[in-house]
Amino acid sequence: MVPGIKIDRDKVIAEKINSYLWLLFIICFLGNVLGGTASTLISVYLPVLVKDILGLVDDNQVNRVSSYISAFYLIGWAVGGLTFGVLGDRIGRVRSLALSIAMYGLFTLLIAFASSWELIVVFRFFCGFGVGGMLVINTTLLSEIWPERTRAIFIGVLSIGFPVGIFSSGAINFFVSNWRQAFMTGMIPLALGIISIGLLQESAIWKVSHAQRKENKSSGTIGTHRGDIVNGSIIFGSMLIGLWAIFSWVPTWVQTLLTNSEGQSERSLSMMLLGAGGLTGGFFSGWFANALGTRKAMQLCFAGCFIISFLLFKLNSVFTIVTIIEIALLAFMFGISQGLLSVYIPLLFPVNIRATATGLCFNVGRFFTAIAVFFVGALVTTLGGYSNSLFVFSAVFLVGLLFIVFSKKAD
């Protein structure tokens, strides 16, 4: 038996937080931070980037190209999450994690050298491919080897890495006006992915499961857990649709509230608020889970997201301190939900299919999210503005709330 490891109900879990687990946590956390930056850096630069690439064109064409860039990123995210979920079960968690981080770093870097919007669409697709895979693998890895007593707390803290990255994208935009220079930050995750393959060791629990798979002693198949996959996909996907429709278009929506400003500082502030609120919510999500229970805490989050979306998008016609507070509160709810879902989803499934099933739950909804993000821009004219369009898509929080009520408790 591996020192410091015990076997409990076919699980191999560390008995205490040792130095290696701290190293692993730091790498996973940095992967989340840099993934959050890679994901949302395009949002704060989108109005400037598209006009720079296209030249003098009308707003409808700008919206159309912006929609393609955002939507194909999310499609790549979904495909990558599904693909890396399978890879994580087949070739191991560590190699999959390192590859996914390096991948989104590389394609973020390549955007800095793009000469057309079509190339940016391609690079964003593969950037999303890597980010989607990274989020599945690092959550799966920590959920199955971290000590149970502090698991919810640390996975909650892990989840704040993404909003830290969102905050960072706003900060980068605040200090760096040139979008090509900003995307040079892709060098950092590229380097992290390369060095992590030499620093990390494959998880013991995956080794046990992999050996059992070879001996045809697996504890379940995707088919036997079809109901959990459908339920988990709808719950996670409903939050995802609302979150990304809002995150992708809030800077542009903020711009519509301004009449006498170029909007760079306000767009930057809105993105930093989304990141800071999400960071705070994710940090406290583990304590919410322990205090209320994961399911009840998730119900409160989904209901809160819908109510705050109504207040934000239906009652604001100018950018004020109230707008700032409401953006921060909405992001706080988003942060809590991401921590809770990261704890809940992986533990619905046995180890031998955990990464694959988690990848499905995390990413099936992203195909619909990509469509939603695309149609937020496309429906602006039909629905009479970004406020109405964003509020319409926030109704998905009620769908998630309904399915959580009938969801089962994870192991």
Side-chain angles (χ1 to χ4, degrees), residues 132-403:
M134 177 274 300
L135 290 174
V136 169
I137 298 301
N138 67 7
T139 301
T140 301
L141 181 57
L142 261 64
S143 70
E144 64 189 21
I145 69 173
W146 204 266
E148 185 175 357
R149 185 172 60 87
T150 57
R151 181 189 298 144
I153 292 173
F154 274 85
I155 292 180
V157 173
L158 176 68
S159 73
I160 75 174
F162 203 86
V164 168
I166 296 172
F167 181 89
S168 299
S169 69
I172 292 170
N173 177 248
F174 188 82
F175 292 106
V176 182
S177 60
N178 187 297
W179 63 271
R180 293 188 184 275
Q181 293 176 1
F183 281 93
M184 295 292 289
T185 56
M187 290 186 292
I188 301 173
L190 176 59
L192 178 65
I194 293 171
I195 65 174
S196 64
I197 194 66
L199 293 176
L200 301 181
Q201 304 169 6
E202 191 53 72
S203 71
I205 190 170
W206 178 80
K207 291 180 180 179
V208 171
S209 176
H210 192 61
Q212 291 175 340
R213 184 197 298 269
K214 289 182 177 179
E215 297 176 5
N216 296 319
K217 294 181 180 180
S218 61
S219 54
T221 64
I222 291 294
T224 60
H225 291 270
R226 188 182 301 110
D228 292 331
I229 291 173
V230 171
N231 201 46
S233 297
I234 293 174
I235 292 172
F236 195 90
S238 61
M239 176 56 71
L240 202 64
I241 289 173
L243 187 156
W244 274 99
I246 290 169
F247 271 40
S248 296
W249 290 101
V250 154
T252 305
W253 171 72
V254 166
Q255 187 72 52
T256 67
L257 303 182
L258 306 171
T259 56
N260 298 313
S261 172
E262 292 183 357
Q264 179 179 345
S265 60
E266 288 86 355
R267 293 196 315 271
S268 299
L269 177 61
S270 68
M271 191 57 71
M272 288 189 285
L273 287 169
L274 289 171
L279 185 157
T280 308
F283 183 83
F284 287 106
S285 62
W287 282 275
F288 273 85
N290 289 343
L292 301 176
T294 304
R295 290 173 68 250
K296 182 176 290 187
M298 287 195 299
Q299 290 172 24
L300 290 174
C301 280
F302 276 70
C305 285
F306 178 75
I307 293 170
I308 298 171
S309 294
F310 172 79
L311 297 175
L312 180 63
F313 298 118
K314 297 302 291 182
L315 302 183
N316 286 277
S317 58
V318 293
F319 191 82
T320 67
I321 186 65
V322 174
T323 312
I324 292 171
I325 293 171
E326 290 171 353
I327 290 174
L329 285 175
L330 183 59
F332 181 73
M333 290 293 181
F334 284 154
I336 294 176
S337 72
Q338 294 307 290
L340 297 173
L341 290 167
S342 295
V343 173
Y344 179 76
I345 298 294
L347 296 180
L348 289 172
F349 309 103
V351 174
N352 67 298
I353 63 167
R354 181 169 290 159
T356 301
T358 300
L360 285 167
C361 291
F362 280 14
N363 293 285
V364 166
R366 294 194 198 278
F367 291 105
F368 299 98
T369 305
I371 296 171
V373 170
F374 180 83
F375 277 104
V376 169
L379 292 177
V380 167
T381 302
T382 303
L383 297 177
Y386 285 100
S387 294
N388 291 335
S389 187
L390 286 168
F391 177 66
V392 165
F393 281 98
S394 70
V396 297
F397 298 132
L398 297 180
V399 176
L401 177 61
L402 179 64
F403 275 83

Side-chain angles (χ1 to χ4, degrees), residues 38-39 42 69 72-73 111 120-128:
S39 296
I42 195 77
I69 292 172
F72 273 85
Y73 174 80
I111 291 173
I120 293 175
V121 169
V122 172
F123 293 157
R124 286 297 288 172
F125 173 87
F126 286 107
C127 177

